[in-house]
């Protein structure tokens, strides 16, 4: 069944009008007709089944047939803060795959060794939305504007905080330290890694140093590995 992203839908509504972009996709691209059934997600946990009342390329009208709240809600909250890579396509790859696996929030952090200090959230949000629809996720990850590492470290976070880095210092694994069914914030540095000063600043702000294995990973691979590990460890208690 075809899936559409409708973040402005009212859960109490009996009908819904697709916006022009989604209407065009519905009527022109997919060529769906009156009576066809489809699904809607609002990005906040709502999954809806609807049928087409009027298939129009600019304003397709739907009848809501049923709805489900908190569809496939996960038992934890994962926020990954990643330094954007010089090649923005690698960031897009991470966003796509992390959304498919399961992630709640992404921040872009600007570090001393960052080769890229700006991103275009509009474009990246489209990548995330496409991955949400592809993987049938009812929750749309939050994508934050770029912020300096120091500023992010100062923000309060109610949960476990980790920093993954390559320095040869004392580190632990997620498996040995992660408390299941919790909230997590994981920092992933730029291609040149965090500086020692940045690592110390993170530790002073309550972050715990972790290792993601013995291999030296690319930035986006390390972020995806952290995403996978957190989700896997929490699935063990479902």
């Amino acid at each position: 069944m075809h899936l559409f992203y409708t973040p402005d839908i009212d859960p109490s509504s009996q009908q819904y009008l697709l916006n022009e972009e989604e209407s065009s996709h519905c009527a022109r691209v997919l060529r769906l007709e009156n009576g066809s059934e489809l699904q809607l997600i609002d990005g906040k946990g709502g999954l809806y089944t609807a049928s087409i009342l009027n298939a129009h390329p600019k304003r397709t009208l739907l009848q809501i047939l049923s709805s489900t709240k908190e569809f496939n809600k996960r038992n934890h909250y994962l926020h990954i803060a990643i330094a954007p890579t010089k090649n923005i396509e690698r960031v897009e790859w991470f966003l796509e795959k992390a959304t498919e696996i399961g992630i709640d929030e992404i921040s872009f952090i600007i570090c001393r060794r960052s080769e890229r200090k700006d991103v275009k959230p509009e474009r990246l949000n489209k990548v995330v939305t496409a991955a949400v629809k592809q993987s049938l996720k009812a929750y749309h990850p939050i994508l934050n504007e770029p912020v300096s590492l120091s500023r992010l470290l100062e923000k309060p976070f109610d949960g476990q905080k980790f920093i993954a880095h390559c320095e040869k210092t004392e580190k632990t694994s997620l498996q040995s330290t992660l408390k299941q069914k919790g909230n997590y914030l994981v920092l992933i540095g730029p291609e040149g890694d965090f500086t020692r000063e940045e690592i110390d600043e993170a530790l002073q702000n309550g972050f715990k140093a972790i290792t993601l294995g013995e291999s030296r990973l690319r930035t986006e691979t390390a972020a995806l590995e952290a995403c996978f590990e957190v989700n896997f460890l929490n699935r063990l208690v479902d």
Side-chain angles (χ1 to χ4, degrees):
M1 192 178 297
H2 297 290
L3 185 68
F4 294 81
Y5 179 50
T6 55
D8 61 341
I9 190 171
D10 183 343
S12 63
S13 296
Q14 298 300 309
Q15 295 183 350
Y16 179 77
L17 191 65
L18 289 177
N19 63 31
E20 186 170 344
E21 181 180 355
E22 292 285 38
S23 291
S24 177
H25 184 65
C26 176
R28 283 202 175 107
V29 179
L30 299 176
R31 297 184 181 277
L32 298 181
E33 301 176 345
N34 293 352
S36 297
E37 292 193 3
L38 46 79
Q39 289 182 311
L40 314 173
I41 49 172
D42 61 10
K44 299 179 283 290
L47 174 69
Y48 305 79
T49 299
S51 63
I52 299 176
L53 290 175
N54 182 23
H56 190 283
K58 291 188 177 181
R59 48 184 184 278
T60 293
L61 182 63
L62 307 176
Q63 177 71 42
I64 307 301
L65 303 177
S66 65
S67 64
T68 302
K69 296 180 180 179
E70 298 186 344
F71 178 74
N72 281 350
K73 184 177 182 180
R74 296 179 305 129
N75 62 6
H76 61 284
Y77 189 95
L78 175 59
H79 180 183
I80 288 186
I82 179 175
T85 57
K86 185 176 181 179
N87 183 347
I88 197 64
E89 291 181 357
R90 288 162 53 190
V91 173
E92 293 178 1
W93 177 86
F94 161 69
L95 293 175
E96 178 183 82
K97 303 310 176 188
T99 300
E100 292 176 2
I101 292 173
I103 192 169
D104 300 284
E105 187 172 357
I106 303 106
S107 292
F108 296 107
I109 47 175
I110 308 305
C111 307
R112 294 179 187 175
R113 292 174 177 162
S114 291
E115 294 189 69
R116 173 181 288 275
K117 299 188 177 181
D118 66 317
V119 296
K120 296 180 179 179
E122 299 83 4
R123 162 63 188 166
L124 298 180
N125 248 317
K126 289 182 179 180
V127 173
V128 172
T129 300
V132 163
K133 294 164 70 174
Q134 167 66 33
S135 54
L136 189 54
K137 293 286 192 298
Y139 292 89
H140 193 292
I142 299 169
L143 201 61
N144 296 317
E145 296 280 348
V147 63
S148 69
L149 175 62
S150 294
R151 186 174 177 184
L152 184 134
L153 293 178
E154 294 171 352
K155 291 184 177 182
F157 181 80
D158 183 18
Q160 288 186 284
K161 302 187 292 186
F162 306 104
I163 178 170
H165 65 80
C166 299
E167 288 284 327
K168 293 183 178 180
T169 60
E170 183 178 350
K171 289 178 280 190
T172 187
S173 66
L174 281 171
Q175 183 176 4
S176 64
T177 192
L178 184 137
K179 298 175 183 177
Q180 295 164 317
K181 295 186 177 182
N183 300 327
Y184 319 104
L185 170 57
V186 183
L187 304 182
I188 304 293
E191 282 103 330
D193 201 8
F194 294 110
T195 65
R196 186 55 190 266
E197 292 76 17
E198 289 173 327
I199 295 170
D200 289 342
E201 186 180 1
L203 297 178
Q204 291 166 10
N205 279 275
F207 284 78
K208 182 173 291 188
I210 58 168
T211 175
L212 297 173
E214 297 184 2
S215 300
R216 182 179 287 269
L217 304 175
R218 286 179 177 271
T219 295
E220 72 279 10
T221 309
L224 193 64
E225 172 65 21
C227 182
F228 174 79
E229 285 194 36
V230 169
N231 278 278
F232 175 76
L233 291 171
N234 278 283
R235 278 198 294 269
L236 295 178
V237 295
D238 279 344

